[in-house]
Amino acid sequence: MLKQPKESSKHNLDRPPCSPVCKSWGIWEEALQSTQQDDRAHAGAPKYATPFGAEDPTERPERALLRPQNFFHSFSNSPAPGIRRRAAFMKSHAYCPHPDHRQTRVVLSPQDPEARKAARKSTQTPAFVDFECPDCGIPVYCSEKHWMDDYESHAEICDTLRQANEDDHDLHSGRYFHEFRYPGPQIEEILVNMTNWDTYLYTREFNAINEDRSMRQATRMLTYPVTIASIIHELSPYNIRAGGRLTVEGLKSFSALRYTVHPERTGGGPGVKGLRLKPPPARIFILGARAESSIPRDVWIQLEYLFHRATFHLIFIGPESMTNRDAEFPLPERTSANPFGGIVEDRLSHNTKITTFVEYYHTMHKANYFQPFDPYFDCFVLFHPGLGHPASAHEWEETVPQLLETKVPIICTGYTEWDMQRDKQWVEEKMAGEVDMLLEPGENTFRSLRWDLNDMDPTDLSCGNWGVWAFRGKRYETTMKD
């Protein structure tokens, strides 16, 4: 087992929201599509024999480029062209973290390697990384001399860098990704256990995932819909018991939303006699959307399968919400019926609709485009928003007060504990006490188990949705006076 780095070590630097690590799901989508193509190609072929008489995908003709025992390669000498291009990008953009070099940017956190440079008052000119560590294969220092001199610091994250290296090569290996075969709708009589990833995958009847690497690849995409579901589901792991992190105000807010996403049976069914009135869909606004808007739709549909008879409308909003979706350009023309040029996907399933707007939320809020808001039907989600990050805080100063006005829940995630606490502090300071905490900041039960590299700083590793917390605008209850 590879040792995972501690939360307090330097690799966990929080990054600005536009970091290259979160901009593209291209290789993930290729892996998913390749798996689906294999399934379709073998759908009419004779099934391979197994002890249970069913087809075993592992017995299919192999077309893998790399084998599990051969996943480790230095980035520059990788057999995958995409990884070699990443190595070239790192060597022309990432700076050597050795403390002898002069500082290249503002220190962002106490664990930032730049803090060592500031403390030493270094004089050497900044240099790009060029030397690849023979143990992890990642370009991390400008020279072998600096790597050897700072090896004690690098050793803290070397094992995890190697794990990230092998995981990246696994995605480019061309193997059959059985972990990307997703189950269909959940039988209503079978409850989903949302205690952790293992119980969720088992009760949702995913194919057995017996390897740590496959588990990391599977959770990297599933963390987005399952994080939302884990908070608004009636079987949520977050509660008001000791250590459950849910506050009394949070119980009030999420109980209202749960009433909508867990509707009662109405006796409806097919045919005219089965027609019944249905409530409006639950609207989930994903603000500042980037890579999450381009996640394969099969992944987002998993959210719907956890809620029987409920309907969802996912709304991605943000200037980068069309990242990695080049095939959908040009954007729709802005008309009176579609004033913000929304891209509507309403053929995904009977219960899920997705709309994408390449626009800032505060502009649409001023136009009253989504009003009225209802705590029973609406929820905001901010994945790694960087509310308190120096590079992005100014973009949220106008938006957050508007979100608080709606009085609906606002769910936020963060790369690290430091990232979350800084965002929380920014909200509390800027909003001057007009905030009710719904879910205390802490580690996300359904965070990604995979570590991702930041190509602008290879020593910066993070997990998608590592932590989660929630808040809303303060509500003032009417009281009677004698």
Side-chain angles (χ1 to χ4, degrees), residues 264-324:
E264 297 179 352
R265 293 178 180 271
T266 60
V272 176
K273 292 184 178 180
L275 293 177
R276 297 291 186 277
L277 290 174
K278 296 184 67 175
R283 297 188 301 177
I284 299 178
F285 297 89
I286 300 174
L287 308 188
R290 300 182 300 278
E292 55 269 22
S293 70
S294 62
I295 291 177
R297 296 317 187 222
D298 289 348
V299 179
W300 280 114
I301 294 297
Q302 293 300 308
L303 176 65
E304 156 195 330
Y305 293 156
L306 293 171
F307 302 91
H308 305 287
R309 300 181 304 280
T311 55
F312 290 93
H313 185 187
L314 304 180
I315 305 172
F316 297 105
I317 304 174
E320 294 182 271
S321 59
M322 288 300 293
T323 300
N324 199 38

Side-chain angles (χ1 to χ4, degrees), residues 419-435:
D419 187 24
M420 286 191 303
Q421 294 295 344
R422 182 181 58 186
D423 287 353
K424 178 186 175 185
Q425 182 181 359
W426 183 88
V427 169
E428 292 176 340
E429 289 178 357
K430 293 290 184 180
M431 301 306 115
E434 291 297 315
V435 175

Side-chain angles (χ1 to χ4, degrees), residues 278 301 304 310-312 346-353:
K278 296 184 67 175
I301 294 297
E304 156 195 330
T311 55
F312 290 93
D346 57 358
R347 298 291 187 270
L348 299 175
S349 73
H350 294 294
N351 298 323
T352 298
K353 173 183 176 182

